[in-house]
Amino acid sequence: MSLITSSDQWIEQGIKGLSCDFGPVDFISERFSFHHTDYYTPEMGSGLFRHFITFKHLIPREQLPEIKRRTNWLEQQWAKPDGKRQINIDPGYLCMEHVILATTKGYTHRPYLRDGIYADLTLIFRNKSYQPLEWTYPDYREEKVIQLFNQLRRVYLQNLRERKNLLC
């Protein structure tokens, strides 16, 4: 998941709340400046940053619509009295071949899943690295973000191998 906010307090609150729903967090990225767009500025203010987090337990990708609906609900629960969000939570999944984000906004490259949720194909794995596509958000095109996802992919692959060995 990606957590965007202007406050370390909301990162901590987000991680705590998400852990209650999805289990322990096993990775928190460095802080990434959120500077490619001012889309969230009117709602959340300036000085926004992002952390990516992953969870210890693998979550089936079929649950992505329910997860997005849950994160939307959490955002609203933590919003200011005027309804403005204090944190943006973007769930998605990483697998060997791609990175998918969940969104409520349909577009030509976003197939509908269900319950008002679309899949946004953000990165594809080709030539030994994740690669952006013509519609990939600018911040997901950054080399340090792509390298982070490559690192997470290696950890995911290792977890799959260990899991397979446990089943044999």
Side-chain angles (χ1 to χ4, degrees), residues 94 96 152-162:
L94 172 149
M96 300 306 293
L152 294 173
R153 183 182 184 273
R154 287 188 292 275
V155 171
Y156 174 64
L157 178 59
Q158 183 62 37
N159 287 342
L160 290 177
R161 287 180 181 146
E162 290 172 3

Side-chain angles (χ1 to χ4, degrees), residues 49-167:
F49 60 88
R50 153 190 280 145
H51 285 277
F52 293 99
I53 65 171
T54 63
F55 298 91
K56 180 177 180 180
H57 305 293
L58 297 179
I59 300 170
R61 57 181 132 187
E62 295 82 17
Q63 292 182 9
L64 190 57
E66 290 87 1
I67 293 167
K68 179 63 174 171
R69 290 172 57 82
R70 178 65 178 168
T71 60
N72 286 351
W73 183 84
L74 287 171
E75 289 174 356
Q76 291 308 308
Q77 293 303 303
W78 297 333
K80 294 178 183 177
D82 63 4
K84 290 184 177 181
R85 292 178 295 169
Q86 301 186 85
I87 188 169
N88 173 269
I89 306 169
D90 287 327
Y93 71 82
L94 172 149
C95 63
M96 300 306 293
E97 57 272 4
H98 56 242
V99 173
I100 299 281
L101 302 179
T103 181
T104 57
K105 300 170 210 74
Y107 205 69
T108 54
H109 65 279
R110 295 176 178 163
Y112 185 74
L113 298 174
R114 66 177 178 279
D115 303 327
I117 306 301
Y118 299 82
D120 186 337
L121 177 61
T122 299
L123 300 170
I124 60 171
F125 195 81
R126 182 176 21 186
N127 299 324
K128 300 182 181 180
S129 179
Y130 283 113
Q131 306 290 323
L133 300 154
E134 65 182 85
W135 53 77
T136 299
Y137 295 117
D139 47 339
Y140 281 83
R141 292 175 167 277
E142 288 185 5
E143 186 60 30
K144 62 184 179 179
V145 172
I146 290 173
Q147 291 307 315
L148 170 65
F149 278 97
N150 285 332
Q151 173 191 342
L152 294 173
R153 183 182 184 273
R154 287 188 292 275
V155 171
Y156 174 64
L157 178 59
Q158 183 62 37
N159 287 342
L160 290 177
R161 287 180 181 146
E162 290 172 3
R163 192 169 165 196
K164 182 179 178 184
N165 289 336
L166 290 174
L167 298 174

